[in-house]
Amino acid sequence: MRIVRGWGWKLPARAEIAVTGIVQGVGFRPFIYRLAGRYGLVGFTRNMGDAGVQVVVEGDKRTIGRFISAIRAEKPPLARVDEIRVAWKKATGEFALFKVAKSEKAGLGLASVVPPDITLCDDCLREMLDPGDRRHLYPFITCVNCGPRFTIIEELPYDRPRTSMKAFPLCIDCLREYKDPADRRYHAEPTCCSVCGPRVELYEEGGECIDVPNPLQEVTRLLDEGRVVAIKGMGGIHVAAKVTDDEVLARLRKAFNRPQQPFAIMSKDIATVRTFANVSKAEAELLTSQRRPVVVLERSPGYMLSELVAPGLDNVGVMLPYSGIHHLILHAGKAPAYVMTSANVPGLPMLIDNVEALTKLRGAVDYLLLHDRIIVNRCDDSVVRVVDGAPAFLRRSRGYAPEPIKLAFESGRKVLAVGAELNDTTAILLGDRCLVSQHIGDTTKIETLEYMQGAAERMMGLLNLSGVDVVAHDLHPGYATTRIAPRMAKRLKAKTLAVQHHHAHLASLMAEHGLEELVGIAADGVGYGSDGTVWGGEVLVASFKSFERVGGLAKQRMPGGDLATQFPARMVAGILWQALEREELRRVLTEFCFGGFRRGEKEVRVVLRQLERNLNVFWTSSCGRVLDAVACLLDICSERTYEGEPAIKLEAAAEGGDARKVKLEPALKKEEGLVVVDTSQLLLGALEALRARVPRRHIAAAVQQALARGLVEVATDAASVEGIKTVGGSGGVFYNDAITAAVREGVEKSGMKFVRHELLPTGDGGVSVGQAVVAACSR
């Protein structure tokens, strides 16, 4: 029997192999070509229209088996193999050799995805800086291991004629490399050189092209002189400036309406970054990874950059160069870093078009460095921060999008989820994968809402999807994404499903960790509750199909509604309204929060009258609003100019604080059948410490700890009652290092497991995935 089996394995066989994952644009076909040669197999490989790769080989069955095992074991470093399906057939003898065949528009019927953009590899960087190389100082140098992918692709399969590189026919030398199996530019679709590829040009503010021998070198000189320059990169247009000149940065803030929002900066290498920031091992790995996100770092004692880089914060967002353009500018620059932030007004999509940039940036920048390669899919920089020892996405975009999240279940439904409102993303769920879009942004702006629709449609096109079964959206009736979802569903012949915001947060967390249920703490700024009030400090018992609200933070008044989110002095008034007599509250507001009332004493009286008469007063259990109120009471931040500002500055102010210096314990109470943390008592405790002249860093630290302990007590008690062993945390509050650490420690001390986001943003950037999985599992 063994002899017969051995003979069978030696007989000629044919294997038709379908490989899915991230296998196009990452050197996979050249890898298969070389692998087949090593094993002496004949046949072909080709890209398919749904981003997968087909491989057909003939040879003896045992050898083919080893070949298939090697595909997964030895795959290219940038590839991700999710699935390999093999159909065994009789050999036909039709092949004499192995080749890379022409791509096929048809699909394999399996879910794959195009790769994200990849940072310039070491080999290309070395060649670019080598005076003897034919691509010396050419900024668009690339190979099969690096360069643009997602931002240039128009349709699948991923081949040069289906990207924006089709406008640049290969020269004789580049074509020879492209066709040489031994060359690392073999089938590297974006490959080019100074003879045949894109070119950079420098423009004055008025739109006149400047004739200079080396535009990149000129940009470096201009930046070092204190000029503001717009720079077109891989996924969009940045604005760059010196980081050591207050006057330049003040002008930049005014031009782009960013009075306080921190700027991302770019530095040439880790050694330089360490001159102004502390860099841990985990942070260094992120900074130097092929994905090159912006990493939020703690300022070092030797920090010498302008305070206007990140006003009021103890950290700074830093990235290393990831394109040839960036490397050449930073390589020649004199400054330790340069501002490299999106060249757009907050909330609007990142600029990508040359004509649009020349028009919209007039008066805001001095010069523009533009190139003639079209950006098909705009893609902002990703932003990561190490929180309680683990990386957390503030924004998941360039370098990561549109990589899918692998699910622990397979759904027969196709779902498009349109996300929330701010920091929006979209998601498409197919089978056991959920693909997440690049960062979309603030959909209250019509331009961003249109961008969201376009990004969703383009992703569906890349997946060969003509329709879906469900369009999922937020429960909030006022969100633009909610209002547009029915129109999108009608066009796609789909039904709609509203998903409660915090349920979506926790569902995305469960999807990441392969959980079916958990007790979750969903803590953020705002989410429309199923009772019509504003939630944001909730403890939920959640599964994909349902959730039960069991507790959280006490409901508090929001006098003036949205005005209370912009001016947290109003939240101080709302939280303390029932805890203090009216006159005492007025004294507190005028003594400690007066800067938060633009119209002075008159506005204080108006707010108190609103509370007294219950006019234009809303209710919220938001953790973000409590943190905002504490920031205002401690005179840390009295106006929010960007999302999360008061809470972010409160965390910075708490750095070095000792919570034990303040006697502040969370008080629990029953409210409408729920166990809640009494946040009025927390604020009163902070006020008492402030009057006792306790340093504000200690008070800030104590409030963060007390909030965390209170939420942990509610959550672990609920988990014990339900017999659930896992407690999770999601929402923007879990970007706070101290709160996250305290929650984790409290949960683990109770003998339970704590989970948090690892693959998705903790904030609203992950909500679309939660919406998608809830819709996929709904009845």
Side-chain angles (χ1 to χ4, degrees), residues 508-526:
S508 70
L509 184 61
M510 289 188 288
E512 271 192 54
H513 291 274
L515 300 171
E516 294 183 355
E517 64 176 2
L518 55 63
V519 171
I521 301 170
D524 60 6
V526 60

Side-chain angles (χ1 to χ4, degrees), residues 672-687:
E672 299 176 1
L674 306 176
V675 179
V676 299
V677 180
D678 188 341
T679 46
S680 295
Q681 291 303 311
L682 281 181
L683 205 60
L684 279 175
L687 176 62

Side-chain angles (χ1 to χ4, degrees), residues 23-36 44-48 52-55 76 98-104 144 157-160 162 178 186-189:
V23 290
Q24 291 191 17
V26 290
F28 203 81
R29 288 177 300 166
F31 158 71
I32 292 293
Y33 177 90
R34 289 188 288 270
L35 194 66
F44 68 87
T45 181
R46 62 184 174 185
N47 281 345
M48 303 299 286
V53 167
Q54 183 184 39
V55 184
F98 192 90
K99 66 178 183 179
V100 175
K102 185 179 179 181
S103 298
E104 175 63 53
V144 77
Y158 175 69
D159 291 306
R160 193 182 186 94
R162 298 182 182 90
Y178 183 84
Y186 180 52
H187 279 276
E189 308 306 339

Side-chain angles (χ1 to χ4, degrees), residues 528-678:
Y528 189 79
S530 50
D531 62 356
T533 64
V534 179
W535 292 4
E538 315 309 317
V539 174
L540 309 178
V541 178
S543 68
F544 290 130
K545 293 182 179 179
S546 64
F547 72 91
E548 180 187 2
R549 187 187 187 204
V550 294
L553 300 184
K555 288 198 300 185
Q556 298 290 0
R557 294 165 175 81
M558 289 178 67
D562 284 345
L563 274 177
T565 68
Q566 185 178 357
F567 299 101
R570 289 171 171 263
M571 281 308 308
V572 175
I575 293 172
L576 294 179
W577 173 247
Q578 282 195 318
L580 298 176
E581 295 293 331
R582 189 182 192 282
E583 181 56 27
E584 173 65 8
L585 178 56
R586 187 194 66 77
R587 284 198 296 268
V588 168
L589 297 177
T590 53
E591 182 180 355
F592 298 105
C593 307
F594 200 64
F597 296 99
R598 292 170 298 169
R599 295 175 178 82
E601 184 69 40
K602 179 180 179 181
E603 187 175 352
V604 173
R605 290 196 300 271
V606 168
V607 170
L608 293 175
R609 196 176 304 122
Q610 281 182 307
L611 289 164
E612 195 171 50
R613 300 178 182 180
N614 199 29
L615 294 174
N616 195 29
V617 174
F618 298 82
W619 289 90
T620 182
S621 52
S622 165
C623 190
R625 297 293 79 79
V626 174
L627 295 171
D628 290 355
V630 177
C632 180
L633 185 67
L634 298 183
D635 195 28
I636 294 166
C637 183
S638 59
E639 180 181 359
R640 177 180 60 82
T641 65
Y642 61 88
E643 183 67 18
E645 179 182 357
I648 292 169
K649 289 184 173 178
L650 178 71
E651 181 185 12
E655 182 65 27
D658 185 350
R660 295 168 299 181
K661 300 286 187 182
V662 182
K663 293 181 179 179
L664 197 59
E665 293 297 328
L668 304 188
K669 65 178 184 178
K670 278 277 191 177
E671 184 178 86
E672 299 176 1
L674 306 176
V675 179
V676 299
V677 180
D678 188 341

Side-chain angles (χ1 to χ4, degrees), residues 157-328:
Y158 175 69
D159 291 306
R160 193 182 186 94
R162 298 182 182 90
T163 72
S164 56
M165 287 301 294
K166 66 187 177 187
F168 307 97
L170 291 171
C171 67
I172 293 173
D173 290 332
C174 286
L175 187 61
R176 183 180 65 252
E177 294 169 339
Y178 183 84
K179 291 184 174 181
D180 181 2
D183 198 288
R184 78 173 196 280
R185 293 187 172 91
Y186 180 52
H187 279 276
E189 308 306 339
T191 191
C192 58
C193 69
S194 59
V195 174
C196 61
R199 300 183 182 186
V200 292
E201 290 183 317
L202 185 61
Y203 292 85
E204 289 183 343
E205 173 197 354
E208 181 181 344
C209 186
I210 305 172
D211 185 14
V212 289
N214 190 329
L216 289 159
Q217 199 171 61
E218 182 68 9
V219 164
T220 302
R221 186 185 68 80
L222 292 168
L223 289 172
D224 287 336
E225 284 183 355
R227 307 289 186 170
V228 177
V229 184
I231 299 173
K232 185 178 180 181
M234 273 193 194
I237 298 174
H238 288 107
V239 60
K242 285 178 72 172
V243 293
T244 53
D245 192 321
D246 287 357
E247 187 177 336
V248 171
L249 295 180
R251 178 190 155 204
L252 192 62
R253 290 198 169 280
K254 184 177 181 181
F256 287 90
N257 191 28
R258 301 183 194 176
Q260 294 286 312
Q261 189 172 4
F263 288 142
I265 65 174
M266 183 178 282
S267 192
K268 66 178 179 179
D269 54 37
I270 285 282
T272 306
V273 174
R274 286 197 165 109
T275 64
F276 57 82
N278 296 323
V279 185
S280 69
K281 182 181 178 182
E283 290 163 341
E285 288 174 356
L286 287 166
L287 281 168
T288 57
S289 72
Q290 66 192 34
R291 303 178 188 272
R292 293 287 164 99
V294 175
V295 182
V296 180
L297 303 173
E298 180 186 46
R299 294 185 187 186
S300 68
Y303 183 85
M304 69 301 198
L305 311 185
S306 169
E307 288 298 321
L308 293 181
V309 169
L313 303 182
D314 61 343
N315 51 40
V316 59
V318 186
M319 59 182 154
L320 298 185
Y322 56 84
S323 74
I325 289 175
H326 297 138
H327 274 288
L328 291 173

Side-chain angles (χ1 to χ4, degrees), residues 15-89:
E16 296 181 356
I17 307 164
V19 188
T20 64
I22 297 178
V23 290
Q24 291 191 17
V26 290
F28 203 81
R29 288 177 300 166
F31 158 71
I32 292 293
Y33 177 90
R34 289 188 288 270
L35 194 66
R38 193 172 90 201
Y39 283 95
L41 301 175
V42 295
F44 68 87
T45 181
R46 62 184 174 185
N47 281 345
M48 303 299 286
D50 53 6
V53 167
Q54 183 184 39
V55 184
V56 177
V57 290
E58 292 192 357
D60 74 82
K61 196 169 186 180
R62 186 187 299 275
T63 301
I64 294 175
R66 292 201 300 269
F67 167 79
I68 293 170
S69 297
I71 290 175
R72 192 182 292 276
E74 302 177 28
K75 63 178 177 58
L78 300 178
R80 165 177 156 172
V81 175
D82 289 338
E83 189 171 5
I84 300 176
R85 291 190 185 180
V86 183
W88 292 99
K89 297 186 178 181

Side-chain angles (χ1 to χ4, degrees), residues 420-574:
E421 182 175 65
L422 303 178
N423 299 310
D424 192 39
T425 61
T426 62
I428 296 175
L429 190 148
L430 290 173
D432 63 350
R433 293 170 180 82
C434 191
L435 294 94
V436 194
S437 76
Q438 68 271 45
H439 172 74
I440 302 296
D442 179 1
T443 57
T444 63
K445 307 288 194 299
I446 185 65
E447 297 92 338
T448 310
L449 187 65
E450 290 172 351
Y451 168 37
M452 182 276 289
Q453 295 176 80
E457 289 167 3
R458 189 171 291 280
M459 182 64 71
M460 288 185 65
L462 290 176
L463 294 169
N464 281 337
L465 278 179
S466 58
V468 294
D469 301 307
V470 185
V471 174
H473 59 85
D474 198 274
L475 183 64
H476 198 305
Y479 282 179
T481 49
T482 300
R483 295 195 301 269
I484 206 165
R487 278 179 271 169
M488 297 176 72
K490 184 177 181 180
R491 202 162 54 244
L492 297 170
K493 297 181 172 57
K495 65 179 183 179
T496 61
L497 180 73
V499 181
Q500 200 280 323
H501 187 83
H502 300 100
H503 185 205
H505 264 298
L506 297 177
S508 70
L509 184 61
M510 289 188 288
E512 271 192 54
H513 291 274
L515 300 171
E516 294 183 355
E517 64 176 2
L518 55 63
V519 171
I521 301 170
D524 60 6
V526 60
Y528 189 79
S530 50
D531 62 356
T533 64
V534 179
W535 292 4
E538 315 309 317
V539 174
L540 309 178
V541 178
S543 68
F544 290 130
K545 293 182 179 179
S546 64
F547 72 91
E548 180 187 2
R549 187 187 187 204
V550 294
L553 300 184
K555 288 198 300 185
Q556 298 290 0
R557 294 165 175 81
M558 289 178 67
D562 284 345
L563 274 177
T565 68
Q566 185 178 357
F567 299 101
R570 289 171 171 263
M571 281 308 308
V572 175

